[in-house]
Amino acid sequence: AQSVTQLGSHVSVSEGALVLLRCNYSSSVPPYLFWYVQYPNQGLQLLLKYTSAATLVKGINGFEAEFKKSETSFHLTKPSAHMSDAAEYFCAVSAATSGGSYIPTFGRGTSLIVHP
Amino acid sequence: KAGVTQTPRYLIKTRGQQVTLSCSPISGHRSVSWYQQTPGQGLQFLFEYFSETQRNKGNFPGRFSGRQFSNSRSEMNVSTLELGDSALYLCASSLEEGGITEAFFGQGTRLTVV
């Protein structure tokens, strides 16, 4: 079984400040991990993906995430927030089922609010 | 390259009716997945189709069904609608299995059941 927990349904930062969105996962087998962003009235867009090639993953729009197996975490960061980063962010985990399929499980999402 | 297209964007239905939602994936993508998004439950996986076969299914009642055509376009059907079915239904397409490769999402269909 797999699960994802995103700590904090809302995160508020000032423009130019560090962005840190937390994600902890549970998986009995090595997982794939994803971060997606959703703007109002839009579908989800992939920010970055972890596939075991490197623990520090760089994504689009200056975002990056670090896979920490010992902490079962995959937190998303960005050094300096922009107003355009205000959106809903989803962490997702995907691991092989007993049948060999990969079904992604999404976290509840974290709404990022950026203040001028 | 055209993105994932979902139609219609908005839909209002009455309890007990049925509804069909459509999804056209990105050209060349063989996997189409469907998700239900609600404020209370978040994003929940409905099912995935790959080359016209349902490969994976989430924990939803049999009222929720889908299919995929030979051109990879997919439809999702919900019968005997309930108020709780009101949600944003998202379709995502992938080159290969949706849980491994990047999923490209459509803008969704907002279904309101009254």
Side-chain angles (χ1 to χ4, degrees), chain A residues 12-96:
Chain A
S12 182
V13 300
S14 298
E15 193 173 18
L18 171 72
V19 175
L20 171 60
L21 304 182
R22 300 178 187 274
C23 172
N24 287 89
Y25 69 92
S26 172
S27 174
S28 56
V29 296
Y32 292 93
L33 294 162
F34 306 80
W35 273 101
Y36 283 88
V37 61
Q38 186 179 31
Y39 298 100
N41 298 316
Q42 299 291 323
L44 280 68
Q45 178 186 7
L46 182 70
L47 280 175
L48 48 81
K49 179 177 78 170
Y50 168 75
T51 59
S52 78
T55 57
L56 183 62
V57 182
K58 294 188 183 300
I60 62 171
N61 301 338
F63 285 93
E64 62 181 37
E66 186 173 8
F67 173 70
K68 292 187 176 180
K69 185 178 179 180
S70 61
E71 299 177 7
T72 59
S73 69
F74 190 56
H75 301 331
L76 182 71
T77 61
K78 182 174 181 178
S80 177
H82 294 271
M83 297 296 291
S84 60
D85 293 327
E88 190 85 12
Y89 291 80
F90 293 89
C91 180
V93 62
S94 180

Side-chain angles (χ1 to χ4, degrees), chain A residues 38 42-43 94 101-102 104 108, chain B residues 35 37 40 56 97 99 102 106-107:
Chain A
Q38 186 179 31
Q42 299 291 323
S94 180
S101 296
Y102 286 80
R108 289 296 187 95
Chain B
Y35 296 85
Q37 186 176 25
N56 295 306
E97 189 165 7
E102 177 181 358
Q107 291 183 292

Side-chain angles (χ1 to χ4, degrees), chain B:
Chain B
K1 194 174 187 181
V4 177
T5 304
Q6 291 188 247
T7 56
R9 287 293 309 279
Y10 302 92
L11 208 49
I12 299 175
K13 289 287 188 178
T14 305
R15 272 182 302 174
Q17 287 186 313
Q18 73 164 15
V19 66
T20 299
L21 312 181
S22 180
C23 173
S24 293
I26 291 173
S27 178
H29 285 193
R30 296 187 293 168
S31 167
V32 174
S33 298
W34 288 89
Y35 296 85
Q36 182 194 65
Q37 186 176 25
T38 60
Q41 298 297 319
L43 207 66
Q44 292 188 290
F45 173 79
L46 279 157
F47 29 65
E48 179 188 12
Y49 286 86
F50 187 87
S51 295
E52 301 181 65
T53 301
Q54 185 181 87
R55 186 158 59 181
N56 295 306
K57 191 176 189 306
N59 294 323
F60 278 82
R63 300 185 296 107
F64 292 81
S65 63
R67 59 178 175 169
Q68 186 180 33
F69 302 95
S70 58
N71 61 359
S72 291
R73 189 177 71 85
S74 178
E75 288 182 346
M76 191 193 97
N77 185 275
V78 187
S79 63
T80 319
L81 283 166
E82 301 176 0
L83 294 179
D85 297 333
S86 295
L88 180 67
Y89 290 88
L90 292 166
C91 164
S93 77
S94 308
L95 271 174
E96 296 296 333
E97 189 165 7
I100 299 176
T101 57
E102 177 181 358
F104 292 81
F105 284 79
Q107 291 183 292
T109 294
R110 173 78 60 185
L111 172 64
T112 302
V113 182
V114 298

